[in-house]
Amino acid sequence: MRPPSLLSLTLDSALLRIAHIADLSHLPDHLVIDLFRRTLSAGKLTEKVLKLFLATGCEEIILAVQLLNIKQPLVPVLPTNSEVDIVIAALQPNLTTFFEAWRPFFSRFHIIVIKDPDMTEDLQIPTGFDLKVYTKSDINGVLGASSINFSGHSCRYFGYLVSRKKYVISIDDNCLPAKDTAGSTVDVVAQHMANLKTPATPFFFNTLYDPYRKGADFVRGYPFSLREGVECMLSCGLWMHNADYDPMTHVVKRNQRNTTYVDAVMTVPLGAMLPVSGINVAFNRDVLGPAMFPGLRLRNEGKHRWDTLEDIWNGLCAKVVCDSLGYGVKTGLPYVMRSDAEAGKALESLKDWEGVKIMDDVLPFFQSLKLSRTAVTVDDCVKELAGIVREKLGPKNAIFTEAADAMVEWNNLWKAHGAQNA
Amino acid sequence: MAGTVTVPGSSVPSTPLLKDELDIVIPTIRNLDFLEMWRPFFQPYHLIIVQDGDPTKTIKVPEGFDYELYNRNDINRILGPKASCISFKDSACRCFGYMVSKKKYIYTIDDDCFVAKDPTGKDINALEQHIKNIMSPSTPFFFNTLYDPYREGADFVRGYPFSLREGTHTAVSHGLWLNIPDYDAPTQLVKPKERNERYVDAVMTIPKGTLFPMCGMNLCFDRDLIGPAMYFGLMGDGQPIGRYDDMWAGWCVKVICDHLSLGVKTGLPYIWHSKASNPFVNLRKEYKGIFWQEDIIPFFQNVTIPKDCDTVQKCYLYLSGEVKEKLGKIDPYFVKLADAMVTWIEAWDELNPATPAAENGKAK
């Protein structure tokens, strides 16, 4: 066997450094082709290296790329950073683990972090993100004196207010990426965006769930006139491991963890109410923003999710508004992995838990609610809703009058600070 | 029957649940070979075979099954002139089996449906899952985002009102299908190769006020609670429409369940649907249905059953009147159908005389 030629050794040497070569255009075509062939054999064809070869303009390379069906990674159809903001409410100071875990999925987007106004410690956030932190003084600075209490989990709504993007995705700071049944890490952003960008189907239940998912469709018996669907405004995700239970259930089933990955997204039907959990949620801010507010605040609202009902209240209002205006709400994927940190403390919260009775009053109210036909914008709907809440629920409990006030105040804040032309 | 049959990886309960309270109703026109695969799960139960088509043909039932079989001659003999409400040359005839059963629960399955495997590769005991679904409550008044809260490992989520956590009685358990999905003819023609490969590990209650397309391929229901509403309509021979039998029953059933506060669940279990029917034949059968359903759906969405209809039969008779009046305008078929609905109830009540203590359909 003949020993390798000097040329061959040179090409091999170039191959070793191919990732660092900036320009191949000075090479004669036959050498570029040889190098390309070796790059393919060595498995070193990355997006950058492919661009390098294509930049030479060598026709054989271009032809080879076509024939071998080498796909150039397209600019992702998924939203670019101009469409999405990630809003994170910081209820704990050390967000290093959180952001490092989410880095592959969040690094493309602008991130709005709202620090819980009650927190005194400094936030620890790793670098390398396009990220802005808002603190208590920012909230006061922007809003002045507002009757809305932005402490605790409610601080994230300030993030909704200052965002200027079409879509917002918000996840609790004790959640990490989950793995699906195949073991792949769930891209929570991609799934929420798929949910929001494909139609919802609230008028008739599809037994194969989301008909727009690959491998699925509308089933026999689904009326054709309803197959166009409506625009989805709200995407409610779920949680593996530490599920979003009330404090009673946390105590009684302290060892229970959610291990069932349900591979489905579905539209919540028209007229059906659901408990929207703020732990993992995404929405169309342009349209639904005015309806995404902190309204209901429990008297002893604490820092644990089970101390709150603000997201539940928000979700019920948003659902009524969506139903009224012909928009859709989806639930199901994506999952996040919610950590255990809080589970043991549920017992303390049980003593005073106002939430037990509240929902029993709240739900019948929402189920029988019909907004007037003249309310044709989200804004109008929220205003009308606030009035009805004050009138019908206010007398039952002062907490509802305060909620109505908060809804009206949110309306004002949105006009002044949230709307696109604010 | 000598010895026991064990299928590796299957979960055959040692004491089959509801062995004496559940009948399996199977419509067939060809043969019942598929029962061999189901033997470990079905053998403990009584089968009601409804033989469609030529009554002179003998349908061979595999050895070892306890069954009763009815062909067209039997149906005519038993129902007399009322037999006109039972479809001929369409699997809709299966509802005759519901009528003659004396059990509390019915499970119905098509003869081209086989045992499916779950993602771990284990055989799915569909009947066992249906029984679990139907014996645990439903939650139609508020959607639980973690789906069926009564499943092991799940529960009601935060925000779920405590007053609703007892749930309501479950009247129907609607299972799904892997492999050949239940598409209509136009979709079949556009996507002939699509297979349902997604195992969605959930059972859920269909919310009150929401209609759904009920497929009769893998269906379980409580005969006492909703039986009289499970009429599968006039289809097949001599009728302008086919492949809408289960759909029609499903819309009537859901409206009545909503009225009587009964629950309808959908999701698990999966069966393996093996045969894709001819889409061109299906198109001919479904053709009118595709247009009619545009009017039928708003009809069911807007119908309000009066408060004094407190039994399934009363609700159903009320519906038949509305069908005649409101849908009769679309096509004379609906007038015929409305009459058949009345005939069905008469036949049901004749074969199932109500005892004073337990009137059909009265939810507790």
Side-chain angles (χ1 to χ4, degrees):
Chain A
M1 199 181 93
R2 283 174 60 192
S5 66
L6 270 176
L7 180 57
S8 182
L9 289 171
T10 311
L11 286 173
D12 280 337
S13 177
L15 178 59
L16 282 175
R17 288 165 189 68
I18 192 77
H20 303 289
I21 296 175
D23 186 11
L24 289 172
S25 51
H26 56 282
L27 284 182
D29 275 358
H30 69 284
L31 291 184
V32 176
I33 293 163
D34 197 339
L35 187 54
F36 184 66
R37 188 183 49 77
R38 290 173 199 241
T39 309
L40 284 177
S41 302
K44 283 184 163 232
L45 191 69
T46 65
E47 186 186 338
K48 184 180 163 201
V49 170
L50 177 63
K51 284 203 171 97
L52 181 71
F53 279 103
L54 290 174
T56 64
C58 171
E59 278 176 16
E60 277 90 337
I61 301 267
I62 295 168
L63 187 61
V65 167
Q66 281 176 8
L67 287 174
L68 293 170
N69 211 17
I70 296 173
K71 296 261 194 303
Q72 287 203 64
L74 300 166
V75 173
V77 179
L78 292 178
T80 59
N81 15 8
S82 63
E83 277 195 307
V84 180
D85 267 344
I86 315 262
V87 171
I88 307 293
L91 267 69
Q92 53 181 322
N94 192 342
L95 297 176
T96 313
T97 315
F98 176 85
F99 276 107
E100 284 306 344
W102 286 108
R103 191 185 286 276
F105 308 107
F106 284 5
S107 56
R108 278 196 295 137
F109 304 100
H110 177 65
I111 305 172
I112 293 173
V113 175
I114 317 290
K115 185 177 162 189
D116 180 1
D118 295 337
M119 192 198 295
T120 47
E121 304 98 305
D122 285 331
L123 287 182
Q124 289 170 60
I125 299 175
T127 53
F129 292 97
D130 171 17
L131 189 149
K132 187 164 155 73
V133 178
Y134 295 84
T135 63
K136 183 175 176 178
S137 56
D138 294 312
I139 298 175
N140 293 339
V142 171
L143 303 183
S146 171
S147 56
I148 291 183
N149 185 347
F150 284 101
S151 78
H153 285 283
S154 293
C155 68
R156 70 158 59 170
Y157 293 97
F158 181 77
Y160 297 172
L161 205 52
V162 296
S163 162
R164 285 291 174 266
K165 302 285 167 55
K166 181 170 179 184
Y167 300 103
V168 165
I169 299 175
S170 192
I171 295 173
D172 274 10
D173 66 4
N174 60 352
C175 295
L176 298 176
K179 287 210 195 297
D180 66 18
T181 45
S184 316
T185 311
V186 174
D187 183 346
V188 97
V189 176
Q191 183 64 56
H192 271 307
M193 292 319 301
N195 294 350
L196 290 171
K197 287 195 151 190
T198 53
T201 52
F203 305 115
F204 203 70
F205 190 89
N206 194 44
T207 47
L208 279 187
Y209 314 110
D210 188 347
Y212 300 100
R213 275 189 93 190
K214 193 159 177 279
D217 211 304
F218 292 96
V219 296
R220 173 176 60 98
Y222 203 106
F224 279 81
S225 62
L226 299 180
R227 296 191 187 198
E228 249 185 67
V230 298
E231 209 179 338
C232 181
M233 286 298 150
L234 181 59
S235 166
C236 310
L238 293 172
W239 348 270
M240 297 299 287
H241 197 65
N242 187 13
D244 191 12
Y245 293 142
D246 60 75
M248 233 142 294
T249 311
H250 268 296
V251 170
V252 169
K253 291 193 172 180
R254 70 194 66 213
N255 295 320
Q256 179 161 297
R257 296 292 176 270
N258 186 21
T259 53
T260 306
Y261 185 95
V262 179
D263 189 5
V265 186
M266 64 199 77
T267 301
V268 184
L270 176 73
M273 291 293 127
L274 79 156
V276 174
S277 167
I279 294 174
N280 172 15
V281 81
F283 61 98
N284 180 323
R285 186 194 170 277
D286 274 3
V287 177
L288 201 64
M292 297 299 286
F293 47 70
L296 189 72
R297 198 176 181 97
L298 297 181
R299 257 171 271 278
N300 289 319
E301 189 167 294
K303 303 303 179 190
H304 299 293
R305 264 296 173 195
W306 60 61
D307 290 323
T308 74
L309 279 180
E310 45 87 3
D311 47 355
I312 309 293
W313 176 268
N314 174 198
L316 291 170
C317 293
K319 182 61 163 62
V320 166
V321 171
C322 285
D323 282 353
S324 200
L325 297 178
Y327 293 125
V329 173
K330 290 186 186 176
T331 185
L333 303 180
Y335 280 87
V336 295
M337 169 77 73
R338 184 164 173 251
S339 64
D340 263 335
E342 308 173 354
K345 301 215 172 125
L347 201 46
E348 294 168 22
S349 300
L350 262 188
K351 267 183 289 166
D352 248 327
W353 200 57
E354 202 176 1
V356 180
K357 303 210 199 73
I358 297 278
M359 285 308 298
D360 285 330
D361 283 328
V362 164
L363 188 57
F365 165 77
F366 278 100
Q367 283 171 331
S368 60
L369 202 45
K370 275 255 151 44
L371 298 179
S372 63
R373 277 182 204 275
T374 51
V376 294
T377 64
V378 173
D379 225 61
D380 290 342
C381 288
V382 173
K383 275 205 213 81
E384 189 182 334
L385 195 45
I388 305 174
V389 167
R390 193 188 305 282
E391 188 193 316
K392 296 251 156 66
L393 285 180
K396 294 198 181 184
N397 192 328
I399 214 175
F400 296 121
T401 313
E402 285 156 28
D405 290 340
M407 289 161 75
V408 171
E409 169 71 351
W410 180 262
N411 221 302
N412 298 333
L413 290 180
W414 190 268
K415 280 203 190 65
H417 307 285
Q420 290 299 69
N421 52 2
Chain B
M1 180 185 86
T4 40
V5 180
T6 34
V7 175
S10 68
S11 68
V12 185
S14 50
T15 322
L17 299 160
L18 304 181
K19 183 165 74 71
D20 299 320
E21 294 179 69
L22 184 143
D23 276 340
I24 303 179
V25 171
I26 305 166
T28 189
I29 201 158
R30 330 161 239 262
N31 62 64
L32 294 167
D33 295 347
F34 86 117
L35 280 178
E36 275 310 329
M37 199 193 185
W38 286 104
R39 190 184 282 278
F41 306 113
F42 285 4
Q43 190 149 343
Y45 298 90
H46 180 71
L47 311 181
I48 297 180
I49 320 274
V50 182
Q51 179 184 338
D52 197 13
D54 183 0
T56 63
K57 183 173 169 190
T58 313
I59 302 278
K60 190 174 178 307
V61 183
E63 286 270 333
F65 283 99
D66 170 37
Y67 71 95
E68 52 197 283
L69 186 147
Y70 301 91
N71 61 29
R72 192 72 210 180
N73 296 337
D74 299 314
I75 295 173
N76 291 337
R77 174 177 49 85
I78 293 171
L79 293 183
K82 297 201 180 73
S84 60
C85 73
I86 303 296
S87 303
F88 185 54
K89 294 242 183 95
D90 193 286
S91 66
C93 65
R94 75 175 80 204
C95 62
F96 177 78
Y98 309 159
M99 198 192 272
V100 297
S101 164
K102 296 282 168 271
K103 305 282 172 53
K104 179 159 163 66
Y105 300 100
I106 297 280
Y107 174 53
T108 184
I109 185 171
D110 278 12
D111 62 9
D112 59 354
C113 294
F114 293 83
V115 178
K117 288 195 193 300
D118 70 19
T120 68
K122 194 170 137 202
D123 280 352
I124 299 173
N125 185 343
L127 199 44
E128 186 182 62
Q129 181 65 54
H130 274 300
I131 291 171
K132 281 196 186 130
N133 294 349
I134 210 151
M135 292 191 76
S136 59
S138 292
T139 52
F141 303 117
F142 199 52
F143 189 87
N144 192 46
T145 46
L146 276 189
Y147 314 108
D148 189 341
Y150 303 100
R151 270 188 93 193
E152 213 186 287
D155 211 305
F156 291 97
V157 297
R158 175 175 56 100
Y160 207 101
F162 281 82
S163 59
L164 292 181
R165 296 195 185 196
E166 254 185 58
T168 62
H169 289 288
T170 305
V172 179
S173 167
H174 176 264
L176 294 174
W177 350 272
L178 289 171
N179 196 40
I180 310 283
D182 190 22
Y183 288 159
D184 53 53
T187 312
Q188 277 182 298
L189 285 165
V190 169
K191 294 179 164 191
K193 291 217 162 71
E194 187 151 274
R195 299 288 175 263
N196 186 22
E197 293 166 356
R198 188 172 289 125
Y199 184 91
V200 178
D201 191 3
V203 185
M204 64 198 76
T205 300
I206 300 180
K208 177 174 176 173
T210 304
L211 290 175
F212 78 116
M214 184 178 86
C215 174
M217 264 198 268
N218 174 20
L219 183 70
C220 182
F221 61 94
D222 185 323
R223 222 177 134 271
D224 283 356
L225 288 182
I226 200 67
M230 278 288 183
Y231 174 47
F232 272 36
L234 288 173
M235 305 278 147
D237 204 45
Q239 308 298 344
I241 187 177
R243 280 171 58 87
Y244 271 86
D245 51 337
D246 42 5
M247 297 296 137
W248 181 262
W251 299 326
C252 294
V253 158
K254 187 58 166 59
V255 162
I256 294 176
C257 281
D258 285 351
H259 177 78
L260 295 176
S261 292
L262 299 171
V264 174
K265 290 187 180 177
T266 185
L268 301 181
Y270 282 89
I271 47 88
W272 180 269
H273 185 209
S274 67
K275 265 184 113 173
S277 38
N278 185 317
F280 295 99
V281 170
N282 289 345
L283 190 56
R284 238 181 297 127
K285 291 183 185 172
E286 289 173 14
Y287 183 73
K288 287 222 159 86
I290 288 176
F291 291 100
W292 287 346
Q293 79 189 0
E294 298 298 331
D295 287 308
I296 295 173
I297 297 303
F299 164 77
F300 279 105
Q301 282 173 333
N302 294 313
V303 77
T304 323
I305 301 178
K307 275 198 170 47
D308 60 342
C309 293
D310 57 356
T311 65
V312 176
Q313 286 93 327
K314 285 187 196 156
C315 294
Y316 203 74
L317 289 171
Y318 176 80
L319 271 185
S320 71
E322 292 294 289
V323 167
K324 184 178 273 196
E325 189 194 313
K326 304 226 161 73
L327 293 177
K329 296 183 207 144
I330 303 174
D331 194 280
Y333 167 75
F334 291 100
V335 175
K336 252 198 331 177
L337 180 58
D339 289 338
M341 288 166 79
V342 175
T343 309
W344 159 266
I345 295 291
E346 287 169 0
W348 181 284
D349 284 344
E350 225 177 80
L351 291 182
N352 300 283
T355 57
E359 243 188 81
N360 262 57
K362 269 215 148 83
K364 198 165 57 101

